[in-house]
């Protein structure tokens, strides 16, 4: 299985396949399992439906690694429109942003300026910006940008980060983020990382996820535990109940199209659930990472296609 995982992640970087897939009707149909649609309105419709089911949402306007400043500003513009639309429709949804989509690969200053303007907009709209975490070459610069923005006047609590349990460094990062009062989304991690920086064994990633979950739950800050793994969820629930941590003090986060049964069950049990809803035309790398997590998805999607 790890081989399949690496193969799908490697394919996620293939430009030719991406070009063909994102423009093909069949590709768009296949991706709809994990992607809300191509337009802002599709995302807003899904957000509204999830809100009606008692779930909060975070919206991801798909795209990463832009190659010009103009593209970075265009990508940011979509998020500005989203923040306005969310406020207008009074939806319970925030935004998830990748710094490489905001120009990090061109210049960290550009990405920081754009992220700051999004955070300021979110602040005035009473909303929140989550900065997604990308591969390990970007961990430090992402942390630095989020820390600096969080420290700016008026932006405290408006911006949060993602920590990946597969990285050895994450425990130290979590300790520092808690000390800095910064909200964390904890996930296992979705990229191919070498053994120099990340646990190669899934069992070690899982143990670290549990250890970091407990540290986050024990802190006074509102954090998100992003996983579909029932063992991780059971451990978090049991730690919270043993330590008298109320369900209102944290949330579980899951991806659109993954384990909807579990999402609904958690809501029924009185837990906060936030669904990560991606939308937009640049769906290919995101879609391939979802196949990497569960290669059986390929069969599942193929069967559904044949049935239609
Ligand atoms: P694991 O991969 O062990 O899966 C546990 C079980 O969950 C599987 O057995 C299966 O039942 C189900 N499952 C998991 N993935 C599935 C899929 N794609 N399709 C169907 N079933 C699936 N990563 C990152 O590097 N940076 C980030 O910023 C984020 N952000 C993020 C936000 C949110 C809300 C979530 C839920 C996840 C992320 N991730 C992420 C992705 C994350 O790192 C990880 O790759 C996936 O969540 C899969 O890991 P699980 O914790 O679900 O466990």
């Amino acid at each position: 299985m790890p081989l399949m995982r690496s193969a799908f992640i490697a394919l996620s970087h293939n430009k030719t396949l991406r070009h063909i897939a994102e423009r093909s009707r069949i590709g768009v149909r296949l991706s709809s399992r994990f992607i809300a649609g191509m337009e802002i309105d599709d995302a807003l419709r899904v957000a509204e439906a999830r809100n009606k089911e008692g779930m909060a949402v975070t919206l991801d306007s798909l795209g990463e690694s832009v190659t010009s400043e103009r593209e970075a500003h265009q990508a940011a513009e979509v998020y500005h429109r989203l923040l306005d639309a969310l406020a207008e429709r009074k939806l319970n949804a925030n935004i998830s942003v990748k710094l490489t989509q905001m120009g990090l690969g061109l210049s960290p200053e550009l990405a920081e300026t754009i992220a700051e303007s999004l955070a300021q907009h979110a602040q005035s709209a009473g909303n929140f910006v989550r900065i997604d975490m990308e591969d390990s070459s970007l961990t430090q610069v992402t942390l630095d940008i989020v820390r600096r923005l969080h420290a700016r006047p008026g932006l405290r609590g408006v911006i949060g980060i993602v920590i990946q349990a597969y990285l050895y460094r994450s425990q130290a990062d979590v300790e520092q983020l808690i000390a800095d009062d910064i909200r964390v989304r904890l996930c296992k991690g979705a990229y191919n990382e070498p053994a120099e920086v990340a646990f190669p064994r899934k069992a070690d990633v899982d143990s670290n996820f549990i250890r970091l979950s407990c540290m986050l739950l024990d802190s006074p800050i509102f954090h998100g535990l992003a996983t579909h793994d029932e063992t991780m969820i059971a451990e978090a629930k049991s730690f919270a109940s043993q330590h008298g941590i109320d369900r209102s003090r944290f949330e579980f986060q899951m991806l659109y199209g993954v384990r909807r049964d579990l999402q609904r069950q958690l809501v029924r049990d009185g837990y906060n659930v936030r669904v990560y809803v991606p939308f937009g035309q640049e769906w290919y790398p995101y879609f391939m990472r979802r196949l990497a997590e569960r290669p059986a998805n390929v069969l599942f999607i193929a069967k559904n296609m044949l049935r239609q």
Side-chain angles (χ1 to χ4, degrees):
M1 248 0 143
L3 246 183
M4 288 282 272
R5 180 177 186 275
S6 309
F8 277 117
I9 294 179
L11 278 177
S12 78
H13 301 298
N14 187 306
K15 290 205 176 77
T16 316
L17 255 183
R18 173 173 178 179
H19 187 83
I20 297 169
E22 286 179 352
R23 278 158 190 76
S24 72
R25 287 228 330 256
I26 189 160
V28 170
R29 259 176 76 196
L30 287 175
S31 68
S32 65
R33 165 94 172 86
F34 298 116
I35 285 124
M38 298 296 126
E39 309 300 333
I40 283 190
D41 276 348
D42 298 319
L44 294 172
R45 212 172 309 117
V46 168
E48 196 170 358
R50 292 294 91 80
N51 282 180
K52 283 195 178 127
E53 289 186 299
M55 298 171 199
V57 163
T58 186
L59 293 170
D60 168 20
S61 168
L62 289 165
E64 39 206 85
S65 304
V66 295
T67 51
S68 72
E69 197 170 329
R70 196 174 60 93
E71 270 183 80
H73 284 293
Q74 279 170 347
E77 190 45 40
V78 176
Y79 278 111
H80 283 295
R81 278 165 54 205
L82 266 180
L83 285 169
D84 286 336
L86 294 174
E88 216 170 89
R89 301 189 190 195
K90 298 191 171 50
L91 293 174
N92 181 4
N94 59 37
I95 55 173
S96 284
V97 177
K98 286 189 174 52
L99 289 182
T100 60
Q101 195 187 11
M102 303 300 131
L104 184 62
L106 304 168
S107 122
E109 292 74 29
L110 170 67
E112 182 163 342
T113 307
I114 293 183
E116 180 172 13
S117 76
L118 286 172
Q120 275 163 351
H121 189 166
Q123 193 275 334
S124 62
N127 210 324
F128 176 79
V129 180
R130 175 79 60 187
I131 303 296
D132 283 348
M133 190 56 85
E134 301 176 70
D135 71 63
S136 64
S137 67
L138 304 171
T139 310
Q140 191 58 51
V141 65
T142 304
L143 278 158
D144 291 344
I145 290 177
V146 169
R147 263 200 208 106
R148 275 198 295 274
L149 293 182
H150 185 264
R152 300 252 161 92
L155 295 188
R156 199 180 176 83
V158 177
I159 189 156
I161 198 159
V162 177
I163 289 292
Q164 297 152 323
Y166 62 19
L167 296 184
Y168 303 133
R169 60 175 291 164
S170 288
Q171 180 164 345
D173 288 337
V174 163
E175 280 163 10
Q176 188 59 51
L177 289 161
I178 291 174
D180 290 342
D181 206 19
I182 296 179
R183 282 167 63 174
V184 172
R185 170 202 295 152
L186 179 67
C187 66
K188 290 191 189 177
Y191 298 82
N192 264 344
E193 297 293 355
E196 290 77 53
V197 298
F199 296 103
R201 289 176 54 236
K202 179 170 161 50
D204 294 326
V205 178
D206 290 355
S207 316
N208 204 35
F209 188 101
I210 295 169
R211 188 167 34 246
L212 301 182
S213 297
C214 297
M215 287 168 62
L216 294 171
L217 289 171
D218 218 13
S219 80
I221 311 156
F222 188 93
H223 298 295
L225 304 178
T227 181
H228 317 92
D229 186 332
E230 296 194 46
T231 309
M232 303 299 110
I233 292 170
E235 291 280 347
K237 283 176 170 174
S238 121
F239 182 87
S241 81
Q242 278 166 24
H243 292 78
I245 299 161
D246 194 79
R247 289 168 195 201
S248 60
R249 285 182 41 204
F250 63 96
E251 68 188 7
F252 289 111
Q253 300 187 357
M254 292 191 205
L255 301 176
Y256 175 75
V258 179
R259 293 302 309 267
R260 288 200 58 191
D261 56 333
L262 193 51
Q263 298 176 12
R264 292 198 181 110
Q265 187 58 52
L266 285 168
V267 171
R268 277 198 293 275
D269 294 344
Y271 290 95
N272 292 311
V273 173
R274 184 177 299 274
V275 183
Y276 185 104
V277 176
F279 72 97
Q281 326 239 331
E282 295 177 45
W283 50 265
Y284 175 81
Y286 177 90
F287 179 68
M288 294 309 273
R289 288 199 295 276
R290 302 296 74 85
L291 296 186
E293 283 150 10
R294 191 164 172 267
N297 279 334
V298 176
L299 286 178
F300 178 86
I301 290 170
K303 269 193 221 146
N304 277 355
M305 291 284 296
L306 286 175
R307 245 184 251 133
Q308 282 171 12

